[in-house]
Amino acid sequence: MEGYNGIVNAPTGSGKTYSLLLSVLGPYIENKETPEGLQLIWVTPIRALAKEIKLSGDRAAKAFGLDWKVEIRTGDTKTTDRQKQIEKPPQILITTPESLHIILSSRKSRKILTHCKSVVVDEWHELIGSKRGVQIELFLSYLRALRPDLRVWGISATIGNLDEAMDVLLGPGGVQKRKLIRSKIKKKIKVVTVFPEKIEKYPWAGHLGLRLMNKVIPIIQKSGSTLIFTNTRAQCEIWYQKLLAAEPDLAGIMAMHHGSISGEVRAWVEQSLYAGKLKAVVCTSSLDLGVDFRPVETIIQIGSPKGVARFVQRAGRSGHQPGATSTIYFVPTHTLEIAESAALRQAIDQGKIEERIPYIRSWDVLTQYLVTLAVGGGFYEKEIFKQIKATFSYSSMDQEEWMSILHSLTYGSQSLKAYDEYQRVGVTSDGKYLISNRGMAQRHRLSIGTIVSDGMIRIQFLRGKSLGSVEEWFIAQLR
């Protein structure tokens, strides 16, 4: 890449992953070198994608005879494995935004990061419109200060503001050698709307699309494998049960995948789908992103996808190879969604994709980040202020706002400064902001993240086997 930074934009299944993996491996192929320390951090928004990236990394290293270690660090990684990764880092580490900040909260963070030359942020179009994207910006600002020669690349599906997305990833002006690489390959997407027998009798709102199940079953039967996307976990559960009741032959070859199912079951579903053992999977957005399920022939979308970009992303789960056509069936749940299907088809044909609006001035994320640095060995005010000002999100922050945040870290507020527990960060004699209280540090590490969710209750059999988890409010409604 000749020292460039930027974004790679190409259709699903066109080889984006290998294009960036090989740019990192390239300088070491001729002499079969295995450098010491971490060389590449690959950031993924979901754990399921991490497994696929690891497989690709292992294949690439093996193909060129390189003895590189490729490892995953997520919330599922064992504590002993995390410790080993700090003591002896792999050459390639695949992780999530939250795990990156957990690394920063370790006093040994510099040991694992000091040799890092490249960062790849996968599915950047998904991260940019959330506070997890801000987490990435802050981490990159820290790492660039540690490694001025750092190369940063994003992988993104098509969105309406790709140029702005690159500015957010690289900072508004800090990185000069930048390039947006767009593929000339146009992904062929075939949208097929499943119509009811009598449109005039179809409901106007408030249904799950089950009236069209008799038309969905033949689509599943004629396809080798099918992903059936629903918009909610409840809808996913209902469609799974109704399909099994209507077509018992699907038992054993159809599965379900959503965020409340236990990690072990989700892993089994992903592996079985990848191996071609399942004919159908009813799922939510948990299978939206980048997971390379090559056996999948057909995608069914139940109800509105809530956006053109998401619809295209889901369609790309089928035909996951260059030149292949992606086929997606749209199942409207009410009459207005029949009109929406026509609008989706027109938007895809004309290349009209919505923008993803980046977060700016997210003071809660910044405060959490500063506490993370204070836990991980401390920071100096002027040094960190310069780094943070170089990010897109905080480029407009002024000195008064900065001092206000530091004051809240050290004293809480005017009304709370009398309480010791709100005085989180102390300042040493040489001006370093530091947390030395081990209990407070541990509590912070356990709460790092920006994903807000409802209170969850774990569900398991009396003999101990776990089923997964559900929202507390749902349990409260049961009689």
Side-chain angles (χ1 to χ4, degrees), residues 421-472:
E421 60 265 37
Y422 292 100
Q423 299 175 20
R424 291 170 288 185
V425 181
V427 185
T428 63
S429 58
D430 64 342
K432 178 184 279 191
Y433 287 74
L434 182 68
I435 290 179
S436 54
N437 183 303
R438 292 184 65 182
M440 190 177 292
Q442 184 62 19
R443 285 197 299 273
H444 176 72
R445 290 190 182 101
L446 292 173
S447 62
I448 288 176
T450 62
I451 300 174
V452 179
S453 62
D454 295 321
M456 305 294 286
I457 291 181
R458 190 174 182 85
I459 306 296
Q460 64 184 51
F461 289 107
L462 289 175
R463 293 187 178 182
K465 186 176 180 181
S466 174
L467 283 173
S469 55
V470 296
E471 289 86 351
E472 187 175 352

Side-chain angles (χ1 to χ4, degrees), residues 1 24 26 43 48 52 100 125 138 140 171 180 223 236 268 270 401 425 450 465 469:
M1 297 288 184
V24 174
V43 187
E52 177 59 31
L100 284 179
H125 59 282
L138 289 168
L140 291 176
L180 176 58
S223 299
C236 178
W268 176 85
E270 293 159 16
E401 291 167 331
V425 181
T450 62
K465 186 176 180 181
S469 55

Side-chain angles (χ1 to χ4, degrees), residues 227-247:
L227 286 182
I228 305 161
F229 280 102
T230 59
N231 289 326
T232 66
R233 296 170 187 177
Q235 188 181 24
C236 178
E237 297 266 359
I238 292 168
W239 263 89
Y240 177 75
Q241 294 293 343
K242 296 293 186 182
L243 282 170
L244 276 182
E247 191 61 37

Side-chain angles (χ1 to χ4, degrees), residues 55-72:
L55 285 172
S56 299
D58 285 334
R59 286 194 205 106
K62 184 178 180 180
F64 291 104
L66 296 175
D67 187 25
W68 283 42
K69 285 187 177 180
V70 183
E71 296 181 5
I72 295 173

Side-chain angles (χ1 to χ4, degrees), residues 13-225:
S14 55
K16 300 185 293 291
T17 300
Y18 284 113
S19 71
L20 292 174
L21 273 173
L22 295 181
S23 73
V24 174
L25 296 175
Y28 304 95
I29 291 174
E30 186 176 350
N31 296 321
K32 300 291 188 288
E33 295 178 64
T34 303
E36 283 295 319
L38 179 64
Q39 304 298 305
L40 167 64
I41 294 175
W42 196 288
V43 187
T44 166
I46 56 174
R47 298 173 189 178
L49 181 54
K51 298 172 186 175
E52 177 59 31
I53 300 302
K54 184 182 187 311
L55 285 172
S56 299
D58 285 334
R59 286 194 205 106
K62 184 178 180 180
F64 291 104
L66 296 175
D67 187 25
W68 283 42
K69 285 187 177 180
V70 183
E71 296 181 5
I72 295 173
R73 183 190 176 106
T74 66
D76 293 334
T77 306
K78 295 178 181 177
T79 303
T80 53
D81 293 334
R82 295 183 194 179
Q83 291 299 323
K84 290 177 184 177
Q85 288 169 351
I86 291 177
E87 298 302 326
K88 190 172 177 57
Q91 280 72 35
I92 299 176
L93 183 66
I94 304 156
T95 187
T96 59
E98 293 76 21
S99 292
L100 284 179
H101 282 245
I102 290 173
I103 291 173
L104 288 182
S105 72
S106 168
R107 301 210 171 191
K108 295 182 179 180
S109 60
R110 284 180 175 262
K111 182 173 183 178
I112 193 172
L113 298 174
T114 190
H115 297 291
C116 183
K117 296 185 179 69
S118 304
V119 176
V120 173
V121 184
D122 216 337
E123 307 289 355
W124 178 235
H125 59 282
E126 283 293 325
L127 290 168
I128 186 178
S130 69
K131 290 183 178 181
R132 300 177 83 200
V134 180
Q135 283 184 297
I136 296 295
E137 290 183 66
L138 289 168
F139 174 79
L140 291 176
S141 74
Y142 178 88
L143 193 53
R144 281 197 192 97
L146 194 63
R147 295 284 312 199
D149 59 342
L150 182 72
R151 292 166 54 204
V152 178
W153 281 88
I155 296 177
S156 177
T158 300
I159 53 177
N161 55 334
L162 265 176
D163 289 310
E164 183 181 44
M166 186 163 66
D167 285 341
V168 176
L169 181 65
L170 304 180
V175 178
Q176 300 303 319
K177 294 189 73 174
R178 54 178 68 193
K179 186 175 289 188
L180 176 58
I181 300 177
R182 294 181 189 243
S183 169
K184 294 181 180 179
I185 302 171
K186 184 173 175 59
K187 185 69 174 176
K188 297 176 183 176
I189 298 176
K190 181 181 178 183
V191 181
V192 181
T193 303
V194 179
F195 288 100
E197 294 293 342
K198 294 183 178 180
I199 295 178
E200 61 271 15
K201 291 188 177 181
Y202 210 55
W204 285 98
H207 289 260
L208 300 176
L210 293 169
R211 293 188 180 198
L212 293 176
M213 192 189 339
N214 63 325
K215 291 179 178 281
V216 170
I217 291 174
I219 297 171
I220 297 172
Q221 290 173 333
K222 74 178 183 180
S223 299
S225 57

